[in-house]
């Protein structure tokens, strides 16, 4: 099993990794909100946002290449919407779409890259995100790898029997793979539910972890929100 | 061998005329009568589709069978289900079904949390359970990064953490490599719980069992000590089974080693 995971660098012991996940989540949320609410033509503000988020990325000790490569994932989507707008709207709108989506994605990479996913979910929970939602996400995180493995197996079995034929037949095989994956997943869901019942599950899961705020959390929150407020203020002034 | 004869205490498991029919009308169990003494290990053998898993899943009420089913004197009824689920720990065949939480700690803590233990007790029971299966210190590992053998052991720990009186296991040695299998069997041999284990592995059955039960076409067709059941080659073949290879092939049987 060597599926890439989103929290690959969560084991690093950087100042950002050590922060209380709740503080990180709230700061990043504030950042995304500020970026999205900034008027499109405030180029200086966007430049400062970039500086701010990269100061955090630098502190997080994540390899820059990893962060940049990962942030490209948003480009196709943003570019498509952006280009479409380019026909009807001024250039600043195009820039606005690209800049805002890229900055938001960078911020989320900081959050998800420096926090291991289970901890992130617990942080969301303690911030009041409904338990049902976090449970669904935790199942997704747990089983996405199992699913990827299963797809790989089905695909290997298909390749082993199809001698490089192309075209419609391939498409049909892909449909069958999807169907069989769906059935597999559905049945696994039932078995998992049985396993949960067998261990006393009765409708709501409980959790243990408690977080504690430290001075470093306060320092980071102060730095980040002050910088954010300053940038935001000069942008709307 | 546990003293299941004339035991003064209530049997750990008692089934009287237990039947189960699937919603589509297919009969999976027919009039099963069975009693298991505290601390006894009962191994259930039988071909695929005979009803082994159905029987196991009835023991903690996941399948609601007809007839009288008692665990340590407590009847399996809707009302008693929480109690029954605490008494009967089930280790499923595919550990990927059982380990549904992201980390090993969360998974092993799942049962104790549902039992309403406090944080301190939970940490302890997780630590103890992982220690029992030889995986001390695995708390923060991610379930999907474990090897199959490790997943199997964590599945066991996740059940042992609830401190069940009865341990139910569906084909525990399936898909394990020989070393992992030996490790698992030695752990099982040392656990004090009453155990009900289904398997296709005749050798494991021979080594583990105090008694062996044969399920064939939804019925309990034979039950007795392994030296009696697992040495009767003609009947084993009739039931779609085979002699344990540790007995040697043909008619040269070694005595049982434990």
């Amino acid at each position: 099993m060597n599926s890439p995971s989103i929290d690959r660098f969560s084991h690093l012991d950087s100042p950002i990794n050590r922060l209380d996940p709740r503080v990180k989540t709230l700061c990043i949320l504030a950042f995304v909100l500020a970026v999205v609410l900034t008027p499109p033509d405030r180029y200086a503000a966007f430049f400062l946002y970039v500086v701010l988020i990269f100061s955090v990325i630098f502190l997080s000790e994540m390899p820059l290449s990893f962060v940049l490569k990962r942030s490209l994932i948003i480009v196709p989507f943003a570019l498509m919407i952006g280009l479409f707008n380019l026909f009807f709207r001024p250039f600043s709108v195009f820039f606005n779409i690209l800049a805002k989506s890229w900055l938001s994605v960078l911020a989320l990479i900081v959050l998800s890259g420096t926090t291991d996913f289970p901890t992130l979910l617990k942080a969301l929970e303690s911030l009041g995100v409904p338990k049902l939602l976090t449970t669904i996400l935790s199942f997704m995180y747990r089983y996405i790898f199992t699913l990827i493995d299963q797809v790989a197996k089905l695909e290997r079995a298909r390749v082993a029997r199809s001698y490089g034929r192309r075209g419609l037949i391939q498409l049909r095989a892909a449909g069958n793979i999807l169907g069989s994956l769906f059935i597999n997943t559905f049945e696994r869901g039932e078995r998992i539910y049985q396993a949960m019942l067998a261990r006393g599950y009765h409708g709501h899961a409980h959790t243990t972890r408690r977080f504690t705020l430290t001075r470093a959390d306060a320092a980071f929150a102060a730095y980040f929100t002050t910088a954010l407020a300053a940038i935001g203020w000069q942008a709307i002034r | 061998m546990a003293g299941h004869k004339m035991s003064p205490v209530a049997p750990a498991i008692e089934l009287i005329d237990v039947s189960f029919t699937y919603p589509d009308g297919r009969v999976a169990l027919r009039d099963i009568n069975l009693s298991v003494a505290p601390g006894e290990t009962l191994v259930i053998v039988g071909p695929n589709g005979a009803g082994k898993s159905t029987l196991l899943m009835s023991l903690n009420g996941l399948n609601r069978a007809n007839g009288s089913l008692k665990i340590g004197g407590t009847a399996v009824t809707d009302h008693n289900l929480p109690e029954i689920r605490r008494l009967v720990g089930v280790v499923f065949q595919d550990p990927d079904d059982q380990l549904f939480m992201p980390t090993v700690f969360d998974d092993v803590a799942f049962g104790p949390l549902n039992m309403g233990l406090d944080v301190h007790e939970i940490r302890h029971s997780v630590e103890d359970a992982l220690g029992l299966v030889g995986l001390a210190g695995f708390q923060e590992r991610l379930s999907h990064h474990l090897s199959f053998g490790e997943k199997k052991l964590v599945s066991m720990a996740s059940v042992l953490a609830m401190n069940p009186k009865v341990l139910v296991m569906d084909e525990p040695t399936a898909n394990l490599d020989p070393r992992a299998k030996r490790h698992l069997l030695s752990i099982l041999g040392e656990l004090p719980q009453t155990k009900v284990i289904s398997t296709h592995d005749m050798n494991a059955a021979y080594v583990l069992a105090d008694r062996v039960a044969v399920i064939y076409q939804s019925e309990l067709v034979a039950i007795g000590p392994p030296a009696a059941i697992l040495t009767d080659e003609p009947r084993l073949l009739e039931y779609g089974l085979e002699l344990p290879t540790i007995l040697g092939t043909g008619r040269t049987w070694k005595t049982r080693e434990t």
Side-chain angles (χ1 to χ4, degrees), chain A residues 122 142-143 188 191 199, chain B residues 96-99 106-107:
Chain A
K122 294 210 163 117
R142 168 63 183 87
Y143 285 103
R188 186 182 291 281
R191 293 199 302 272
R199 282 194 276 154
Chain B
D96 271 328
D97 293 342
Q98 182 134 15
L99 304 180
D106 288 331
D107 227 299

Side-chain angles (χ1 to χ4, degrees), chain A residues 21 66 71 76 83 85 87-88 103 114 148 160 196 204 210 233:
Chain A
F66 167 80
S71 73
L83 283 177
N85 272 286
F87 292 116
F88 310 102
L103 277 166
T114 63
I148 291 173
M196 292 171 77
H204 49 96
R210 291 281 171 274
W233 173 247

Side-chain angles (χ1 to χ4, degrees), chain A residues 193-201, chain B residues 13 15 53-65 69-71 74-78 80-92 98 159 162 164 166-169 196:
Chain A
Y193 184 58
Q194 293 229 312
M196 292 171 77
L197 287 180
R199 282 194 276 154
Y201 181 75
Chain B
I13 302 169
L15 275 65
S53 295
T54 311
L55 178 60
L56 294 188
M57 296 311 143
S58 303
L59 294 178
N60 73 341
L62 280 180
N63 287 339
R64 302 309 313 278
L69 218 156
K70 281 184 183 166
I71 305 295
T74 309
V76 179
T77 60
D78 284 333
N80 291 336
L81 273 187
E83 164 89 356
I84 293 293
R85 301 252 155 97
R86 198 180 57 73
L87 288 172
V88 183
V90 182
V91 180
F92 290 79
Q98 182 134 15
V159 167
M162 298 175 74
V166 176
L167 199 54
V168 171
M169 301 185 85
V196 180

Side-chain angles (χ1 to χ4, degrees), chain A:
Chain A
M1 169 118 31
N2 40 24
S3 321
S5 61
I6 56 167
D7 49 6
R8 188 139 50 106
F9 294 102
S10 61
H11 61 275
L12 292 177
D13 193 29
S14 81
I16 303 299
N17 285 59
R18 283 195 300 268
L19 287 175
D20 188 306
R22 291 171 302 176
V23 171
K24 252 188 282 187
T25 308
L26 287 179
C27 283
I28 294 301
L29 189 67
F31 181 84
V32 171
L33 277 177
V35 165
V36 171
L37 293 176
T38 303
D41 55 353
R42 303 296 199 277
Y43 297 109
F46 285 110
F47 174 73
L48 291 172
Y49 286 135
V50 172
V51 172
L52 176 60
I53 199 69
F54 271 96
S55 75
V56 179
I57 291 170
F58 176 73
L59 280 175
S60 79
E61 294 168 20
M62 280 191 290
L64 203 58
S65 60
F66 167 80
V67 175
L68 290 178
K69 218 183 282 172
R70 189 138 279 237
S71 73
L72 290 182
I73 194 165
I74 197 68
V75 168
F77 303 101
L79 212 57
M80 210 160 73
I81 300 171
L83 283 177
F84 192 68
N85 272 286
L86 206 49
F87 292 116
F88 310 102
R89 302 260 192 77
F91 175 78
S92 67
V93 175
F94 174 70
F95 167 81
N96 182 47
I97 290 170
L98 278 188
K100 283 182 178 174
S101 50
W102 187 60
L103 277 166
S104 306
V105 162
L106 277 179
L108 288 176
I109 290 171
V110 169
L111 180 61
S112 64
T114 63
T115 322
D116 67 277
F117 200 74
T119 309
L120 186 59
L121 289 181
K122 294 210 163 117
L124 289 176
E125 232 162 69
S126 61
L127 288 172
V129 173
K131 182 82 200 175
L132 184 65
L133 210 60
T134 58
T135 308
I136 292 173
L137 286 172
S138 98
F139 278 121
M140 186 199 74
Y141 178 74
R142 168 63 183 87
Y143 285 103
I144 189 77
F145 304 99
T146 312
L147 270 178
I148 291 173
D149 272 7
Q150 213 156 15
V151 172
K153 272 185 207 157
L154 287 167
E155 175 63 11
R156 205 183 307 149
R158 183 193 66 75
V159 169
R161 284 174 297 166
S162 69
Y163 311 110
R165 292 176 73 175
R166 301 201 166 278
L168 271 179
I169 292 190
Q170 298 288 59
L171 208 61
R172 225 172 75 188
N176 284 333
I177 286 183
L178 272 182
S180 122
L181 199 65
F182 173 73
I183 307 253
N184 273 329
T185 310
F186 188 78
E187 286 179 341
R188 186 182 291 281
E190 296 236 307
R191 293 199 302 272
I192 293 166
Y193 184 58
Q194 293 229 312
M196 292 171 77
L197 287 180
R199 282 194 276 154
Y201 181 75
H202 38 72
H204 49 96
H206 310 258
T207 39
T208 49
R209 204 159 313 192
R210 291 281 171 274
F211 302 112
T212 42
L213 290 173
T214 64
R215 204 166 289 170
D217 292 317
F220 176 81
Y223 158 70
F224 197 82
T225 48
T226 312
L228 205 55
I231 300 170
W233 173 247
Q234 76 83 32
I236 54 170
R237 198 161 39 110

Side-chain angles (χ1 to χ4, degrees), chain B residues 31-136:
Chain B
D31 298 331
I32 306 283
N33 287 286
L34 188 64
S35 171
V36 184
E40 190 182 4
T41 299
L42 178 72
V43 174
I44 300 179
V45 296
N48 283 332
K52 299 191 299 296
S53 295
T54 311
L55 178 60
L56 294 188
M57 296 311 143
S58 303
L59 294 178
N60 73 341
L62 280 180
N63 287 339
R64 302 309 313 278
N66 294 317
S68 161
L69 218 156
K70 281 184 183 166
I71 305 295
T74 309
V76 179
T77 60
D78 284 333
H79 178 72
N80 291 336
L81 273 187
E83 164 89 356
I84 293 293
R85 301 252 155 97
R86 198 180 57 73
L87 288 172
V88 183
V90 182
V91 180
F92 290 79
Q93 186 180 344
D94 183 352
D96 271 328
D97 293 342
Q98 182 134 15
L99 304 180
F100 43 76
M101 300 294 276
T103 68
V104 168
F105 176 87
D106 288 331
D107 227 299
V108 181
F110 185 84
L113 274 166
N114 284 330
M115 287 160 63
L117 300 185
D118 72 44
V119 181
H120 193 66
E121 290 171 303
I122 285 167
R123 288 196 185 286
H124 262 287
S125 59
V126 171
E127 208 176 308
D128 291 348
L130 285 173
L132 276 175
V133 297
L135 293 182

